[in-house]
Amino acid sequence: MHIPDGYLGPKTCIAFYAVMAPVWYIASSRAQKSLKAAQLPILALGAAFTFVIMMFNIPVPGGSSGHMVGAVVVAIALGPWAGVVAMTLTLTLQAFLFGDGGLTALAANSFNMGVVMSFSGYYVYRVIAAGPAPSPKRRAIASAVAAYVAINLAAFAVVLELGVQPGLEAGLGGAPLYAPYPLSVTLPAMMATHLVFFGPVEALGTALVVSYAHKFNDGAILEAGKNASWKPLWAALIALIILTPLGLFASGTPWGEWGAQELGGIVGFIPSGMREMRGLWKGAMPGRLRRAGF
Amino acid sequence: MAPVARLPDWFKEAKPDICLTGGRGSRRGFVEKTLANLESFLRDTLYGENASAKQGLLQGITPHVRIAGIIILVASSAMTANAAMLGFIVAVAAIITLASRVSFKTAAKRVAPSFVFTFILSLPVFFSFMTPGAEVFGAGGAGINGLRVSVTREGFFSAAFFLTRVTTAVWLASLVVETTTQGDFFKGMIRLPIPAFFVTALFMTFRYMFILVKIAEDAALARKSRVIRVAALSESQRWFASRATFMLKRSIALAQEVNMAMASRGFNGVVKVIDGKGMARGDFLWLGFTVFVVLLSIRF
């Protein structure tokens, strides 16, 4: 998940620093405001917690073990803005002192593991575990789903960042200068491992910690994060609702949904499997409805 | 006749050389892996070889200028699209390493994990099925399921360029750690244009890491020394949950204590540095040189 130096081109790195500069500023002031007096030590301890939790191996069925990122635990415990600051602190120390993740890629890594994981994890948890007194089972499921969704969204962000490099930054003759694989390679490679292995590890680890905290501490250590505003979630949902009709103005076939002839026109040939199977699927609608234009 | 001492049969049975404390089928249990992670962290940060006490090029430069210069050089290595320019930056890294009296063995140790990871990742780029081009080495007409497996000139240069860029960036970044004491590192960070709030939190994070790592190491070691057989999966997971929650609880409790200690001493969250020396001629030269390199890398 930690992108090293040299994998992302300057355009991507600069874009992420431009995105993260205001986020870091807002996150710092929000974290100070929501955590009140104990802001500084609690942020530092949250960051130290994620650093150390990454060193803990969690036993998983089959005899193997993996480690979790811990961003969702910190987001649930301290709130999503504090989660962003804590993850940024951890990633900065890892980049400078331990060579984990790059200095030029620090903003991108903070975006993936700080912003994406903290916010998605926090709000998924809050939505599923909503209510005055959710049952322990619901709370465990909420934290597991939140962690699973969050780490896979973060992995997907990494997929996009690495996968666009060959198109964004190419040298003479189109040779890739940075991460060399296109989306068609990065997507299955990264998502398969996260959907099947790292996602369940993160889900299991987060569910265990949150459940244990509620069982033996009555959830008191997770209280600080409850004060976070719902505004970012509503803002994101409203933005998606507003942006959705933009699709109506798009022309041509959506990317990747080409017919056999269109694909032939783009790449110069029709793949044999596609040619053989193109008549197989007649559509979900019965013939009469299909002819009527549905 | 003296009685013959007989060992019981169970004592003579061969046992695995290590006690597995979880994770059937694996040679190392999850506790051993955790302990190894924690030990390597402490070994590398506390007892690792470090050239910061030696007299050398980087050691003679004011910490914040040193850090800024290294960041500029890392950015140069990330920006250039020219092989000759990248070669020049590699030569610069080698000269700085020598002039700062950092051993190449130590630098190689720092770079090795990134090099190996990136080499494995970029391996397919060498071959014709990933990068078509002029074949320079390989199976000629042979292949696997019609897939040619020869190395192409374009693939070789593309992968070698990528690998060199990543390795050089990691090498340069490692020079900060190798030539800077922990105190100087944070002193340097404070004098860079970074919000004081962030640097103070960074400094506290670094300190707390050791406390939490020590707590975690004690917990892992205590379990390892008390467990004599492979534990059930659910029991191992319960142990992980209890230790992680305990650390989170300790973190928050400690944070509150530190906050009260800070407040009682009138600390307002901004670390003040006693060393307020201005920049010397060597600092200007160093900064000027790194800016020159970054301008060259933008041009080429």
Side-chain angles (χ1 to χ4, degrees), chain A residues 43-293:
Chain A
L43 280 174
L45 261 307
F49 172 78
T50 58
F51 184 92
V52 177
I53 209 73
M54 283 189 213
M55 294 177 176
F56 257 85
N57 282 75
I58 308 169
V60 292
S64 185
S65 62
H67 76 82
M68 59 187 285
V69 177
V72 179
V73 174
V74 175
I76 292 171
L78 307 178
W81 291 106
V84 173
V85 180
M87 282 311 294
T88 304
L89 290 168
T90 305
L91 291 167
T92 307
L93 281 179
Q94 286 179 333
F96 267 106
L97 304 180
F98 307 105
D100 261 353
L103 298 175
T104 54
L106 180 62
N109 283 329
S110 301
F111 177 81
N112 303 334
M113 282 181 267
V115 177
V116 175
M117 277 196 84
S118 296
F119 277 93
S120 60
Y122 178 82
Y123 285 111
V124 168
Y125 175 79
R126 285 284 166 232
V127 167
I128 300 176
S135 67
K137 196 176 168 186
R138 183 141 71 96
R139 207 175 272 128
I141 291 169
S143 48
V145 172
Y148 187 79
V149 169
I151 196 161
N152 279 293
L153 282 176
F156 186 66
V158 176
V159 163
L160 293 179
E161 288 151 24
L162 297 179
V164 298
Q165 295 308 310
L168 271 181
E169 316 258 9
L172 288 173
L177 289 170
Y178 298 92
Y181 300 111
L183 280 171
S184 56
V185 176
T186 57
L187 187 70
M190 191 83 182
M191 291 317 294
T193 50
H194 281 80
L195 287 166
V196 174
F197 184 73
F198 296 114
V201 167
E202 191 76 22
L204 177 70
T206 309
L208 285 170
V209 175
V210 172
S211 303
Y212 197 91
H214 276 280
K215 195 173 174 185
F216 293 99
N217 194 244
D218 207 21
I221 58 169
L222 304 176
E223 286 302 304
K226 274 190 172 178
N227 303 326
S229 162
W230 286 83
K231 277 183 193 165
L233 178 66
W234 288 118
L237 287 174
I238 290 166
L240 283 175
I241 291 166
I242 292 167
L243 290 174
T244 301
L246 284 180
L248 296 171
F249 299 106
S251 60
T253 313
W255 196 89
E257 292 181 19
W258 306 292
Q261 295 303 331
E262 279 176 292
L263 188 66
I266 295 167
V267 298
F269 69 99
I270 301 171
S272 58
M274 206 170 174
R275 193 170 48 233
E276 285 161 19
M277 294 188 179
R278 64 177 153 176
L280 210 65
W281 175 250
K282 303 288 183 196
M285 292 285 178
R288 212 164 24 164
L289 284 173
R290 207 168 49 244
R291 280 192 294 278

Side-chain angles (χ1 to χ4, degrees), chain A residues 5-7 37 40-41 43-45 47 49 51 55-57 59 63 65 93 96-98 176-178 181 204 209 212, chain B residues 24 26 30 33-34 37 41 45 78 110 118 121 124 130 165 169 177 197 205-206 208-209 216 237 242 244 251 255 259:
Chain A
D5 281 313
Y7 278 62
L40 207 58
L43 280 174
L45 261 307
F49 172 78
F51 184 92
M55 294 177 176
F56 257 85
N57 282 75
S65 62
L93 281 179
F96 267 106
L97 304 180
F98 307 105
L177 289 170
Y178 298 92
Y181 300 111
L204 177 70
V209 175
Y212 197 91
Chain B
R24 284 171 205 277
S26 163
F30 75 97
K33 285 182 190 170
T34 304
N37 288 342
F41 167 79
T45 43
R110 292 259 179 203
T118 307
L121 188 128
M130 194 68 209
R165 185 202 294 285
V177 185
F197 164 80
T205 302
F206 187 73
Y208 294 149
M209 267 179 197
Q237 288 177 344
S242 69
S251 304
N259 180 59

